[in-house]
Amino acid sequence: MKRTVRRLAALAAATGLLASGCGLETSFALPFDVAPGSIQRVPELDGLGVAVGSKDFTENQVLGYIAEVALAAAGAEVRDMTNIQGSNSSRQALLTGDIDLSWDYTGTGWISYLGNTEPIPDEKAQFEAVRDADLAANGLRWLDYSAVNNTYAFAVTKDFARANNLTTTSDMAALVRDSPDKAVFCLETEFISRNDGFPGVAAAYGFDAKTAQVKTFGTGTIYTATADGLCNFGEVFTTDGRILALDLVVLEDDKKFFPQYNASVVLRSDFDTAHPQVREIMAPIVAKLDNDTIRGLNAEVDVDGRDPAVVARDWMVREGFVSLPPA
């Protein structure tokens, strides 16, 4: 599944972050110090080397740094392995032990990694299916999932939503059936033809995709095109920071057509068994995260241009999980 803007690729290349048969290599550490907050020093983790990985898009980097900040406050020696290029490379790094912990998405695990073709529409059921299957097949443990769900949706401007009384995708379908002239969509090329994209969602919600006026854009351009009124409905990812920055309204997928992509911490079962304190540290953080929160953090990076590590640290400080060391 394509995601938000990819950053730090040049930095990774310059410092030798390599996905190869020899594994991943980096000497990165967190670029700042943090002190305990509600997360206190944990004797069992003091000085423990923990390699934290992430994929190469903004949201996953922010989540990776959140884990790094938490573990550093607990006393672990964090090895920063964020910005691994591609889901498969990140996954392989976890399987081979190049990293000890990363965040992944339940829909990605179920479909891309475990090879299933039919997503499970219920978030909890999808998580439980991935959790059980991945542990049995690969020895990977998915910790309890967060409310962060980075899936597909349609977005509209606030004015258009208000004028047409739109809150759900069912509302959208009813509108375009009754007023075909309003069926103007901004979509990316791949989404137009995929069964889990536009044809599928049209069939599920009962409107005619063939009669819609479709404008094709790159993923990033769709947000501005929708905000600028070039289309009435734009295909978006639900946690993208540009939704917030451009004041768009996300329509609820009330029939749960799109796969669920809840973010979860994933680690090897042997690491989890040896260091159960890690899951205890991460649990209250996971409970605090939701789409509104991560959307705001993503916007700080992609819209405001802030460094994802600093964005993660500052959120952890605001929430009281960690503190800044004395000057």
Side-chain angles (χ1 to χ4, degrees):
M1 183 175 183
K2 293 181 180 178
R3 304 288 178 183
T4 51
V5 176
R6 296 180 177 181
R7 302 177 73 251
L8 302 179
L11 179 61
T15 52
L17 182 58
L18 304 175
S20 69
C22 297
L24 300 168
E25 299 177 3
T26 182
S27 58
F28 286 171
L30 269 176
F32 44 71
D33 294 324
V34 293
S38 61
I39 298 173
Q40 293 290 304
R41 303 283 288 194
V42 177
E44 295 89 345
L45 298 182
D46 192 42
L48 175 71
V50 182
V52 178
S54 84
K55 305 179 190 184
D56 59 342
F57 60 91
T58 295
E59 178 176 300
N60 211 249
Q61 290 175 14
V62 171
L63 291 172
Y65 281 120
I66 284 173
E68 291 185 14
V69 169
L71 293 170
E77 294 291 332
V78 171
R79 187 180 177 203
D80 178 14
M81 301 286 284
T82 54
N83 196 46
I84 300 170
Q85 296 187 5
S87 291
N88 289 336
S89 295
S90 177
R91 166 83 167 186
Q92 190 63 24
L94 189 60
L95 288 168
T96 59
D98 287 313
I99 61 176
D100 301 305
L101 177 152
S102 64
W103 291 76
D104 221 314
Y105 300 88
T106 53
T108 305
W110 185 245
I111 297 169
S112 299
Y113 303 149
L114 296 171
N116 297 284
T117 57
E118 294 295 325
I120 299 171
D122 179 74
E123 288 184 2
K124 185 173 185 289
Q126 179 67 96
F127 163 74
E128 290 174 347
V130 172
R131 178 198 63 191
D132 296 346
D134 216 8
L135 180 62
N138 301 299
L140 294 183
R141 182 154 287 145
W142 292 65
L143 305 188
D144 285 345
Y145 69 99
S146 72
V148 172
N149 188 357
N150 190 358
T151 188
Y152 290 105
F154 291 102
V156 298
T157 64
K158 281 188 176 180
D159 287 344
F160 190 78
R162 191 181 302 113
N164 294 281
N165 196 27
L166 300 175
T167 59
T168 69
T169 308
S170 288
D171 295 336
M172 179 193 79
L175 177 66
V176 300
R177 283 196 301 267
D178 294 341
S179 304
D181 58 305
K182 293 183 178 178
V184 184
F185 291 82
C186 288
L187 310 175
E188 61 175 332
T189 303
E190 183 181 347
F191 188 83
I192 292 171
S193 58
R194 281 171 41 174
N195 287 335
D196 63 342
F198 197 51
V201 76
Y205 281 94
F207 66 93
D208 190 350
K210 294 179 181 178
T211 61
Q213 181 183 347
V214 173
K215 300 181 180 182
T216 305
F217 291 91
T219 303
T221 315
I222 288 174
Y223 297 83
T224 53
T226 305
D228 290 343
L230 297 181
C231 55
N232 291 327
F233 305 98
E235 166 215 344
V236 299
F237 293 118
T238 50
T239 59
D240 197 293
R242 287 164 292 193
I243 292 169
L244 185 65
L246 295 169
D247 211 22
L248 298 174
V249 174
V250 176
L251 301 181
E252 178 192 354
D253 177 19
D254 50 308
K255 291 190 176 182
K256 301 294 184 184
F257 169 78
F258 293 118
Q260 307 304 305
Y261 286 91
N262 290 90
S264 305
V265 174
V266 186
L267 27 68
R268 292 186 312 284
S269 60
D270 59 343
F271 183 86
D272 179 56
T273 299
H275 308 292
Q277 300 83 10
V278 171
R279 66 163 54 223
E280 294 169 9
I281 289 167
M282 294 305 300
I285 298 170
V286 169
K288 277 280 186 180
L289 289 166
D290 57 22
N291 276 8
D292 287 338
T293 299
I294 199 66
R295 200 179 286 148
L297 299 180
N298 290 341
E300 289 188 48
V301 178
D302 288 333
V303 179
D304 301 335
R306 301 187 69 212
D307 186 277
V310 176
V311 168
R313 179 201 63 187
D314 290 353
W315 180 77
M316 292 285 283
V317 171
R318 289 196 301 271
E319 294 295 329
F321 290 118
V322 304
S323 61
L324 297 176

